[in-house]
Amino acid sequence: AAPDPAVAGEAPLAKLWQAAKVPVFITLWYLFNIGYNISNKKALNALDLPWTIALIQLVGGLLYVFPLWLTGLRKAPKLSMDNVKTLTPVASMHLGTHIGAVISLGAGAVSFTHIVKAGEPVVSALLSAVVLKKYFSLPTYLSLIPVVAGVGLASAKELSFTWLGFAAAMLSNVSSACRGIYSKKTMTGKPLGENLTAANMYAVLTIIATVILTPLALAIEGPRIGPVWEAAMASGLSAQAVIKDVLMSAVYYYLYNEVAFLALEQVNPVTHAVANTIKRVVIIIAAIIAFGTPVTFLGSLGSGIAIFGVLLYSLAKQKFDK
């Protein structure tokens, strides 16, 4: 029998998509990340309400994922209360990672937050040794030296340095490292409900984090929302532009995390490490251009050293500590 022309036509398209999907996903991951960091910083510049903006960003993700579950486009996860209890500490650390980054982005330059967040492997290595009693090889530890040196140099020469920005970015690092370690220690091998794909796991953590953050955000910033909004409007800012930046930051936040899962499922750990390093460089450069952030030679040198150290760490860990 002659081959069906429709099926024959689909095969080249399928091959083309197979070849193109990794570059497409990584490109979208970068673009959504740039969009998030720029719209988030604009929103925080207009409204000094990091807890409230962080909450809106989490809620925005739920408005994206709930319709997918309700329409059956994505299978909804099925969890017991025991599953939720198991995931709540991880969700708390997920929240710490997010709120720390948002507070840091509001307190200083986007580029500075990402330089400090490049130091996460140092925190992760220390906590792995202390909590899990897991030790890495000497080359892996040596690769952390340029990370520490680079972050230190960049921080010392950062023109927009604030202790709040530094401390909040470190909170994000510690929370992220703890999330990874806690997950390994308590969740490995445990049954965690049905349909809990990587994307659905992220959605469930976002739901729990939203429940935790809502009363905190209202308690910390609830009384200030009205006065801060009025001050922003009195300064001549457009209500439409401010609302657009807040809402777009929520859209970009969830989309870049969603696309990150799609991209990372398709690549090996070394490609992931390189892509993640390039992503940070791209965000730093894009933010410096978008906001005209002044940079010093030594600050730029420190950033470059730190980011190169992160790449070395990722590659050394993959080679020596599988």
Side-chain angles (χ1 to χ4, degrees):
D4 186 335
V7 174
E10 283 173 13
L13 286 175
K15 283 182 182 175
L16 182 65
W17 172 238
Q18 198 64 33
K21 68 179 174 181
V22 170
V24 167
F25 287 152
I26 289 177
T27 302
L28 288 174
W29 181 27
Y30 287 6
L31 291 175
F32 290 148
N33 227 307
I34 291 167
Y36 168 69
N37 279 276
I38 290 173
S39 58
N40 189 34
K41 181 61 178 171
K42 283 182 178 178
L44 290 163
N45 283 346
L47 304 171
D48 181 23
L49 298 166
W51 292 81
T52 305
I53 289 172
L55 176 60
I56 292 169
Q57 289 164 357
L58 292 181
V59 171
L62 304 187
L63 296 178
Y64 168 80
V65 79
F66 279 151
L68 293 179
W69 288 341
L70 291 171
T71 56
L73 290 171
R74 178 184 294 174
K75 285 186 177 179
K78 296 176 183 176
L79 299 167
S80 67
M81 280 310 298
D82 281 343
N83 296 150
V84 173
K85 284 177 188 174
T86 301
L87 290 171
T88 296
V90 183
S92 303
M93 295 159 199
H94 172 63
L95 174 58
T97 304
H98 180 50
I99 191 66
V102 174
I103 291 171
S104 180
L105 287 165
V110 172
S111 52
F112 176 62
T113 295
H114 282 278
I115 291 159
V116 178
K117 279 183 66 62
E120 185 187 323
V122 180
V123 179
S124 183
L126 287 171
L127 288 176
S128 289
V130 173
V131 179
L132 295 179
K133 300 291 184 282
K134 181 182 177 184
Y135 302 99
F136 299 132
S137 62
L138 182 61
T140 301
Y141 284 121
L142 288 176
S143 71
L144 293 173
I145 294 172
V147 179
V148 175
V151 170
L153 180 59
S155 299
K157 296 300 176 182
E158 173 59 44
L159 298 175
S160 64
F161 180 87
T162 64
W163 279 110
L164 175 61
F166 180 81
M170 285 305 295
L171 166 67
S172 182
N173 283 346
V174 171
S175 298
S176 181
C178 285
R179 179 180 60 190
I181 288 166
Y182 184 87
S183 298
K184 282 180 188 173
K185 192 166 185 179
T186 63
M187 288 166 53
T188 306
K190 279 192 179 181
L192 282 172
E194 294 177 42
N195 304 329
L196 214 58
T197 60
N200 273 351
M201 170 67 88
Y202 181 76
V204 169
L205 294 178
T206 300
I207 293 168
I208 300 170
T210 303
V211 172
I212 297 168
L213 181 57
T214 300
L216 286 173
L218 290 173
I220 294 167
E221 291 179 347
R224 292 182 53 232
I225 293 173
V228 168
W229 176 263
E230 287 168 15
M233 295 304 99
S235 71
L237 290 171
S238 152
Q240 188 177 357
V242 173
I243 291 169
K244 179 189 161 198
D245 284 331
V246 173
L247 294 181
M248 285 311 296
S249 76
V251 171
Y252 284 133
Y253 174 69
Y254 206 85
L255 283 179
Y256 95 69
N257 281 292
E258 182 86 1
V259 174
F261 283 119
L262 294 172
L264 302 183
E265 280 175 353
Q266 305 292 328
V267 299
N268 63 45
V270 175
T271 307
H272 171 204
V274 174
N276 212 23
T277 304
I278 296 170
K279 179 203 77 176
R280 212 171 284 287
V281 175
V282 168
I283 292 169
I284 288 170
I285 293 170
I288 288 170
I289 294 168
F291 296 105
T293 309
V295 291
T296 63
F297 170 73
L298 287 177
S300 302
L301 180 63
S303 305
I305 292 169
I307 289 166
F308 181 64
V310 171
L311 180 58
L312 286 180
Y313 168 81
S314 301
L315 297 176
K317 197 173 170 207
Q318 176 62 20
K319 184 173 176 62
F320 299 106
D321 300 291
K322 283 185 180 179

